[in-house]
Amino acid sequence: MRKLRREAGEATLHGNKFWKSSCLMMDYLKRHPLKQGARVLDLGCGWGLGGIFCAKHFHARVTGLDADPSVFPFLEYHAKLNDVSVDTWHCRYEKVTKSDLAEYDAVIGTDICFWDNLEPTLYNLARRALQAGVGRVVLADPGRSPFFRLAQRAEEKLGAEYLDWAVSRPMKATGGILVAGETGA
């Protein structure tokens, strides 16, 4: 890890570790699995734990999207440790188009709504995803204010559902899950 940090540099947008909300996402997906072979876009992937979980457990074809390309060597390292592959996409959320999103069955994201200005950006991305035919959008968060606003708006306008969620393993984590779209995606 030290060697990767020296080579890749420090992440500039918080993609510098595994976030506890990844445990919430994995637990949710264990209980509400994706279809085998699903095409998954992991938003703000950072080190990619959510996407790697999907690749390993659902044989998903995963693309990790992040605005900070310095996270990709860490994602690739962890994917290799788990004997899966994950494609990478250096892009900002607002640049992802409906035609881009039409290539995916599910969109996931953990700990990605941490600034106030991300709430409308992620709402618009979720709306575009559903309009493009993405079957399910699942976002997990430890419970920040911007995420609560996103969840409320998505419930009102997209028919999304907000779920309080807690896990004790592999580490203790609490927060919320926002689910929009069909559960079978």
Side-chain angles (χ1 to χ4, degrees):
M1 295 305 293
R2 282 185 225 135
K3 181 181 177 195
L4 274 176
R5 280 197 167 103
R6 280 193 309 272
E7 291 172 0
E10 285 296 321
T12 58
L13 294 172
H14 304 297
N16 60 343
K17 64 180 181 177
F18 288 128
W19 296 92
K20 287 184 178 183
S21 292
S22 297
C23 297
L24 302 176
M25 178 67 71
M26 291 185 299
D27 189 65
Y28 172 84
L29 291 172
K30 281 181 192 174
R31 296 169 191 237
H32 306 279
L34 299 174
K35 67 183 178 185
Q36 291 294 310
R39 299 165 301 159
V40 177
L41 179 61
D42 184 2
L43 297 174
C45 64
W47 287 12
L49 190 56
I52 291 167
F53 177 85
C54 292
K56 189 166 183 120
H57 291 275
F58 310 120
H59 305 304
R61 292 171 292 172
V62 178
T63 301
L65 177 145
D66 208 291
D68 183 356
S70 70
V71 302
F72 295 143
F74 298 93
L75 168 66
E76 291 162 354
Y77 173 77
H78 290 104
K80 185 176 179 180
L81 282 177
N82 283 277
D83 200 28
V84 298
S85 65
V86 175
D87 293 327
T88 58
W89 181 13
H90 175 219
C91 188
R92 298 184 64 83
Y93 303 141
E94 58 273 9
K95 301 284 186 184
V96 180
T97 66
K98 275 189 210 177
S99 62
D100 294 328
L101 291 162
E103 300 296 318
Y104 298 97
D105 302 306
V107 172
I108 66 169
T110 55
D111 265 294
I112 60 172
C113 196
F114 44 85
W115 291 326
D116 289 337
N117 67 339
L118 289 170
E119 180 267 320
T121 301
L122 289 167
Y123 169 81
N124 287 329
L125 193 149
R127 182 180 45 78
R128 285 194 310 275
L130 295 173
Q131 290 171 346
V134 171
R136 188 171 13 163
V137 176
V138 183
L139 305 178
D141 189 86
R144 296 182 187 94
S145 297
F147 183 76
F148 285 132
R149 287 192 302 275
L150 169 62
Q152 183 176 21
R153 186 173 179 193
E155 283 180 315
E156 291 171 4
K157 298 188 177 199
L158 301 178
E161 181 179 12
Y162 173 84
L163 306 164
D164 286 317
W165 212 266
V167 296
S168 57
R169 297 179 55 152
M171 66 178 79
K172 187 175 182 178
T174 61
I177 303 281
L178 176 64
V179 183
E182 303 169 25
T183 58

